Amino acid sequence: MIEGECAAPSPGGLADEVAAVLADRRDPGVETFERVLNAVVSHTYRDRETVTAALRSVPREVTVMSHSQVRSLAGIVGAAVGPVRADESWENAGAGWLELCQHAALDYVAGARLVELGARLRAGDPVPFLLSVPSRPTGAVEPYELVARLAEYGRLGVRPGPADLGQALLRCGGPIDPEVVRAAEKLELEEGPRVVAWLRQGGLPRPAWWRERESGESERPSKRRGARTGRRILVGHEAIEGRGAFPRRFWSLFRTFEPHIGCPHASLPDGRDAHTVATLPWHPEIAAARLLTGVASAADQDGPEAPAFLEALAAAEGPAGPAVHLAVAYGLASVRERDREAAARALVLLASRGRLDGELLGRETTELVGLGTLKVPLLTESLRAAAALPQGAAAVWAVLAPALPGLLACTRPQAHGALLAVAADSARLSGAHGELPEVTALAQRPGSSQLLKQARRLRDTLAVR
């Protein structure tokens, strides 16, 4: 393994870490999962007998209620400690796969890598380390590290696994140093020219997007009707070129995504977590778009929560577009408190990294409130929590400034007072100034209600220079 990179613990230490992850049964997080997975791989390559002895005593019984990554790790450990099947061909691993759900494209990518890895371990052809092990907590792989790993594969005479390499390429993106491309040109592997071409184009091309509302008149949420209530705004994307160079399980990712095609798997909670975003860290829009129906269900149908998914979208490397902003909007008014807290943190994180489009989030929030999808009291509570976070007031005001005129027009007056109080506090703490005509008109009405008091406070705050 490359010196200093993802240093693996001793076999005994690895056994302890694996046991802890399997016993916990909850999501181990991207960093822990990838590090432990890579350690199992590298130890098996270097000394299979020793790592088998260390891992054999680790209880591997997991239930369907365990997180999907826990179940995956248990399967990989089983392949590492099991007998070598010399007649097994890992090149054909997963050949019988059938695409069932367009929402699960990123799960298919992650699954292809795990299936391939398990098959290599069973076939007695392990690798010294994973090409796709992340360089950053977001899941991103540094291009120069990928080239160095491939160079080491070439030196050791190891053949890259198509799924592992494919996942590594999808995790590369952003501006690519020309020196890295020149280093890739020197690779003596069959895959070298493909890697060079991928790095030159800057990774996966960004698809064209479209935004659309569910058809039909807005109706009250109904579990019987599922998502077909006319109350949600979703995002689709056009097809992406280049799928032929990747394993077949990756192809779903490259297809045109139609957001309103129904699927029984869309609301499964395991598909919406940080691991999903880390599969394609430079394209959080793709993850958000394909899983937006499930995120929306947490706001209008009390669907499964996905707090880690919301924060991972905000922390991702790539730009945040309509799908990411819609996911945050739904999260801010989620029925589940953990989702609302995560969405508040995601909002502030987007702003702190210069990725928040306040105008966009304000418009989407206003329209979803008008459709009855988002509840103003829950939205207000989340925005208040976000404003209390470091740098949060400016983020909240960036959203409320464009949203307030529409929100004041489409919501009941009973909800306005608390919302205007949050707006006034955010404007004061962020040093905002200017005028919102709708707020000024409201503040000029006679009376002493909480609504009018907060409208006047906001007006006066914005008037201070």
Side-chain angles (χ1 to χ4, degrees), residues 74-126:
I76 293 300
V77 172
V81 304
V84 172
R85 304 171 185 172
D87 59 339
E88 181 167 341
S89 173
W90 63 264
E91 289 92 340
N92 296 321
W97 170 80
L98 178 66
E99 179 181 354
L100 297 175
C101 171
Q102 63 170 350
H103 299 92
L106 294 179
D107 286 344
Y108 292 152
V109 171
R113 180 181 67 148
L114 291 167
V115 168
E116 177 183 272
L117 177 56
R120 289 194 83 148
L121 291 172
R122 287 190 298 273
D125 186 19

Side-chain angles (χ1 to χ4, degrees), residues 18 42 95 98 293 308 388:
V18 170
S42 62
L98 178 66
T293 297

Side-chain angles (χ1 to χ4, degrees), residues 298-318:
D300 67 5
Q301 290 182 296
D302 193 14
E305 63 184 13
F309 179 67
L310 294 171
E311 291 194 74
L313 289 176
E317 307 289 344

